[in-house]
Amino acid sequence: MERIGKASASGGELLRSWGSEIEQGTLRQALTSARCAAVSGPVALMADAHVGIGATVGSVIPTTGAIIPAAVGVDLGCGMIAVRTDLTAADLPDSLDPLLADVERTIPAGFAAHPRATRAAQRWLGDDPLPHPEVLTRKELAKAGPQLGTLGGGNHFVEVSLDTDEQVWCVLHSGSRGIGNRLATRHIDGARRLCADLQRALEDRDLAYFLQGDEQFERYVDHMLWAQRYAFANRELMMDALLAAVGRAVGRRPAEAERINCHHNYAAREVHDGREQWITRKGAIRARAGDRGVIPGSMGSDSYVVTGLGNPDSYTSAAHGAGRRMSRKRAKRDLSIDDFREAMAGRTWQHGRAERLVDESPMAYKDIATVMSDQADLVRIDRVLRAIMNYKGC
C-alpha cells in the first residue's frame, strides 16, 4: 500500500493506493474526490483503478452524513455471482456450442429483455416494490419487470468455467439494468442542481453530494438500496436460468456446492474507525475477514474466488476485476481482431461477433494476475477459474 497526499478534509492522508499500474489521470481524479468536502477520510484506491465519471472506478470512499451519487455510479448494485457445481469437466459435452445457443435464448442480453416479466420477477417486485415510484415515467417503470433476469451489455457476461481441480463453475456479472440507471441518473442530476443552488463548492460537478437532512438524501438512499436488492435478485434469477441450461446440456440439473453473490458498485452503512460511515465501493468488493468474493479477469483471462482478509486500511475492500487499460473507443480503434481471436482460442464464445466485442478484448484490460498480486494483503485466493464458455451482450 502506498500513501499519497498530505492533507484531507479529515486532516490526514488523502489516498491509499494498492496499484502498481495506476495512470496519472487516475491518480488526479482520485485525489480530487479525496478533497471533496463530503469525504470523511482517505480514499482507498484499488489495484484495478481507472478513470470513471466523477470518482475513480476502483475506489472506496468514506463519507459521514453524506453520499455522492455519481461515486456510487449508474449501475447500482452491479456485481458478480458464482456457483460451484458438482459437475467436472468430464461431465460436459464435447462441444459447448449448443449450450451457448441455449444460454443466448434463455438469458436476454444487450438491450433485449424478456417479452414480459417472468413469474419469479413478478413475485420479487410484488414483495419489494420500488419506493417513491413517482420519480420515474410509466415507460421507465414498465421495464423493471421484463428486465429482471437479463444481462445487459458492456462488460457484463455469463461464463462456464473450470477450476484447477476441473470442477465446473457457473459465473456471471450484471447489475440493476435500466431501472437502476434511470434512478441513479435522476439523483446525480438532482445532486448537481442542489449543490449549485446551495453554492456548495465542488472541484468536479460529478462529485455533487447530498447531506443527511437534505430532502433528497433519504429518497436517494431508499432508491439506491432498492436498486442494489434488484441487482442481487437479477443475478440470482439469471444464475438459476444458467444452471438449468447447463442441466439440459449434461442431462441432469447440477447440484450446488457453493453460491457467492457480491456487489461491487454500491454503498452501505458500516462502522470503520469507531464510527458509522457510508462506504461507497465504486468498482470494489467488500472483503471483511471471511467474506467470500468473485473477482473476474477479462474475457480471455482467469477469474478468482477469494476470501477477504479484513484489512482496515482499505475499509475491508478489494479490487473488483482487471480494470480497463484503455477506453472502449481506443480499443475499437487500435486493437486487432486477429489478436482478439487468438486470445480467445480454446473457448466457446460469440466469435462471429468479434468486431462488435473487440472493446472487451483482454488487451483492453490490465493484467488480472498483477492486480491479485498487488492486493495480497486484502484477499486470499481460494480458486482460480478458467472460462471455457463466454457469452456477452453486444
Side-chain angles (χ1 to χ4, degrees):
M1 180 188 68
E2 181 183 4
R3 299 179 187 271
I4 302 169
K6 297 180 179 179
S8 69
S10 62
E13 63 192 308
L14 279 169
L15 200 62
R16 301 166 182 164
S17 175
W18 275 260
S20 60
E21 185 187 343
I22 303 292
E23 298 79 10
Q24 286 302 307
T26 301
L27 279 175
R28 284 194 296 271
Q29 185 179 55
L31 286 166
T32 298
S33 64
R35 289 190 295 266
C36 177
V39 175
S40 55
V43 168
L45 197 61
M46 300 293 95
D48 59 340
H50 61 90
V51 170
I53 296 174
T56 306
V57 178
S59 59
V60 186
I61 302 172
T63 53
T64 302
I67 201 157
I68 306 169
V72 187
V74 294
D75 195 358
L76 297 167
C78 183
M80 296 292 302
I81 186 170
V83 166
R84 177 165 57 93
T85 74
D86 66 337
L87 301 174
T88 66
D91 295 312
L92 296 174
D94 291 337
S95 173
L96 295 181
D97 288 331
L99 174 58
L100 176 59
D102 192 6
V103 170
E104 287 190 84
R105 287 189 296 269
T106 305
I107 302 176
F111 293 106
H114 294 291
R116 63 190 63 84
T118 64
R119 290 181 181 177
Q122 290 173 0
R123 283 195 300 270
W124 189 88
L125 289 166
D127 291 339
D128 194 353
L130 174 68
H132 319 295
E134 67 279 0
V135 304
L136 298 181
T137 67
R138 288 185 180 181
K139 185 176 180 180
E140 290 168 334
L141 288 168
K143 293 180 179 179
Q147 286 189 345
L148 187 52
T150 68
L151 189 65
N155 60 356
H156 294 165
F157 66 83
V158 171
E159 287 184 342
V160 175
S161 300
L162 300 177
D163 65 20
T164 52
D165 295 327
E166 296 290 282
Q167 204 80 24
V168 174
W169 287 72
C170 292
V171 184
L172 65 86
H173 171 210
S174 191
S176 55
R177 302 295 284 111
I179 195 164
N181 182 289
R182 296 315 304 155
L183 289 168
T185 300
R186 289 282 197 282
H187 288 293
I188 290 169
D189 290 343
R192 289 171 179 159
R193 288 193 299 271
L194 181 68
C195 284
D197 291 345
L198 298 180
Q199 297 184 330
R200 290 175 179 166
L202 296 170
E203 285 188 66
D204 182 342
R205 66 193 294 263
D206 287 324
L207 292 172
Y209 55 89
F210 296 130
L211 291 176
Q212 197 162 353
D214 292 338
E215 182 181 351
Q216 299 96 321
F217 179 90
E218 292 299 336
R219 181 167 293 190
Y220 172 72
V221 167
D222 287 346
H223 282 154
M224 178 192 69
L225 295 178
W226 180 88
Q228 289 171 187
R229 296 193 298 273
Y230 180 101
F232 190 96
N234 188 41
R235 292 191 291 273
E236 293 283 331
L237 293 180
M238 283 189 287
M239 179 54 72
D240 291 344
L242 175 57
L243 290 168
V246 172
R248 289 189 289 272
V250 302
R252 69 171 177 87
R253 173 85 178 204
E256 295 187 33
E258 179 179 18
R259 181 180 284 223
I260 305 163
N261 192 344
C262 61
H263 296 320
H264 57 223
N265 272 10
Y266 75 111
R269 289 187 184 94
E270 298 178 5
V271 175
H272 293 271
D273 300 322
R275 54 183 170 150
E276 185 177 79
Q277 303 179 73
W278 280 100
I279 300 298
T280 295
R281 296 184 175 93
K282 183 170 186 171
I285 63 169
R286 192 182 66 186
R288 299 174 306 184
D291 275 343
R292 301 283 279 155
V294 184
I295 302 175
S298 61
M299 282 180 73
S301 61
D302 294 336
S303 295
Y304 295 80
V305 176
V306 301
T307 297
L309 299 178
N311 190 327
D313 288 334
S314 69
Y315 307 100
T316 61
S317 307
H320 81 311
R324 293 198 71 89
R325 177 177 280 140
M326 61 177 68
S327 69
R328 294 187 182 279
K329 182 178 180 180
R330 180 184 163 198
K332 288 181 177 180
R333 183 191 68 209
D334 294 348
L335 294 183
S336 159
I337 300 295
D338 290 339
D339 289 344
F340 180 26
R341 291 181 184 276
E342 183 178 347
M344 293 299 293
R347 297 170 175 82
T348 299
W349 65 294
Q350 297 143 297
H351 54 84
R353 304 178 191 175
E355 289 190 5
R356 295 169 64 184
L357 290 169
V358 70
D359 57 330
E360 283 296 302
S361 166
M363 284 75 77
Y365 284 83
K366 297 179 182 181
D367 176 40
I368 187 63
T370 300
V371 170
M372 299 307 297
S373 176
D374 286 347
Q375 61 175 0
D377 61 334
L378 304 183
V379 291
R380 181 190 74 225
I381 298 171
D382 298 320
R383 304 268 181 162
V384 181
L385 309 183
R386 174 177 57 88
I388 54 175
M389 190 205 81
N390 177 282
Y391 165 56
K392 278 183 175 287
C394 58

